[in-house]
Amino acid sequence: MARLRDPEHGCEWDCAQTFATIAPYTIEEAYEVADAIERDDIDDLKDELGDLLLQVVFHSRIAEEAGQFALRDVVDAISDKMERRHPHIFGDSETGGHYLWEQVKAAERLQKPGQDGALAGVALGLPALARAEKLQKRAARVGFDWPDASGPRAKIDEELIEVEQATTTEARFEEIGDLLFSVVNWARHLGVEPEAALRAANGKFERRFKAMEAEDPGFADRPLGEQEAAWKRAKA
């Protein structure tokens, strides 16, 4: 990466990149790792992990050129973090578990400027469904939560009515957001990860749609009634 970023003899594209321009590729590579895992493609997983590792190296190189930090600092930081958050393994704590991890993590957040609230540190770059779930979990830790799944389920009905009553694009935009947030809340109470559930639904839709196209090369020109019949066959 140092050679690729060399101002005189490096790659023009690599030299032009910044943290901000590389960030979308970093997110994309993380999703491609998850995709390889879902497809149980080990060879592809190896390749995709390499692509993701390259992103870490890329960001680290940009930082090193600016005198901010280097790759070794990144590795040292995560090693130190793992030791702090596992005091029952690396320290003198007699007990451990996920609850202890969360306690240490919460204490770390309090030491950062502007990170003193229950919702502090929930990354803005997370997918919207995943971020909604994480915000709700954080709020639940301080008692702001429905006692059971019936609360968020009733909230969905309420939000549906508000969507139907909205008369402007702006209002519908806001109410649809509230509806989706409520669906995430209900899913959380049912023990379902909404991001994973929607990803699975996307995959199911894609498989069925491809099956319809494979069955009938002229699918796109068929009337809606025939397309609906084809959908039912693919679903069966």
Side-chain angles (χ1 to χ4, degrees):
M1 183 54 65
R3 290 186 64 182
L4 288 171
R5 295 270 300 175
D6 183 274
E8 294 184 13
H9 306 292
C11 170
E12 182 178 352
W13 185 89
D14 288 283
C15 290
Q17 302 313 305
T18 66
F19 293 131
T21 61
I22 288 298
Y25 297 100
T26 307
I27 295 170
E28 180 181 342
E29 295 300 348
Y31 276 118
E32 291 183 357
V33 167
D35 179 68
I37 293 171
E38 286 192 10
R39 291 184 286 104
D40 196 25
D41 189 331
I42 300 302
D43 288 337
D44 204 18
L45 175 59
K46 177 188 67 177
D47 291 340
E48 296 302 344
L49 285 171
D51 291 343
L52 183 58
L53 177 59
L54 176 63
Q55 296 300 306
V56 177
V57 174
F58 209 143
H59 284 288
S60 299
R61 180 60 195 176
I62 294 173
E64 185 174 6
E65 291 168 359
Q68 296 165 326
F69 61 81
L71 181 61
R72 176 166 292 279
D73 300 314
V74 174
V75 177
D76 286 343
I78 189 59
S79 297
D80 292 343
K81 182 185 293 184
M82 290 300 100
E83 290 182 6
R84 287 196 310 272
R85 294 185 182 179
H86 294 87
H88 59 301
I89 304 296
F90 300 103
D92 53 9
S93 177
E94 296 182 357
T95 60
H98 188 67
Y99 76 95
L100 184 58
W101 168 284
E102 292 297 340
Q103 288 177 356
V104 176
K105 190 175 180 180
E108 291 173 354
R109 283 198 299 269
L110 291 176
Q111 298 176 5
K112 296 181 180 179
Q115 300 288 307
D116 55 352
L119 305 182
V122 180
L124 290 171
L126 283 172
L129 289 181
R131 190 165 193 269
E133 181 187 26
K134 199 157 190 175
L135 289 169
Q136 292 167 7
K137 285 182 176 179
R138 288 284 190 86
R141 288 180 196 163
V142 296
F144 190 72
D145 196 12
W146 299 99
D148 55 50
S150 64
R153 176 62 186 86
K155 189 67 175 176
I156 289 173
D157 290 335
E158 178 185 324
E159 296 298 347
L160 276 169
I161 292 172
E162 293 182 3
V163 171
E164 292 170 345
Q165 291 176 340
T167 57
T168 66
T169 301
E170 292 78 7
R172 293 189 189 101
F173 178 89
E174 181 178 350
E175 299 302 340
I176 287 290
D178 291 344
L179 174 60
L180 291 172
F181 193 85
S182 297
V183 170
V184 170
N185 214 351
W186 190 34
R188 182 174 60 86
H189 275 270
L190 294 176
V192 174
E193 185 184 343
E195 187 73 27
L198 183 57
R199 190 162 56 242
N202 289 341
K204 181 167 59 178
F205 178 85
E206 187 176 22
R207 288 193 303 274
R208 291 174 179 174
F209 198 90
K210 287 181 177 179
M212 292 190 297
E213 291 179 317
E215 178 189 64
D216 180 7
F219 172 80
D221 299 322
R222 305 302 180 203
L224 182 58
E226 292 183 19
Q227 290 182 336
E228 179 65 21
W231 173 263
K232 290 179 179 178
R233 290 194 298 272
K235 186 176 180 180

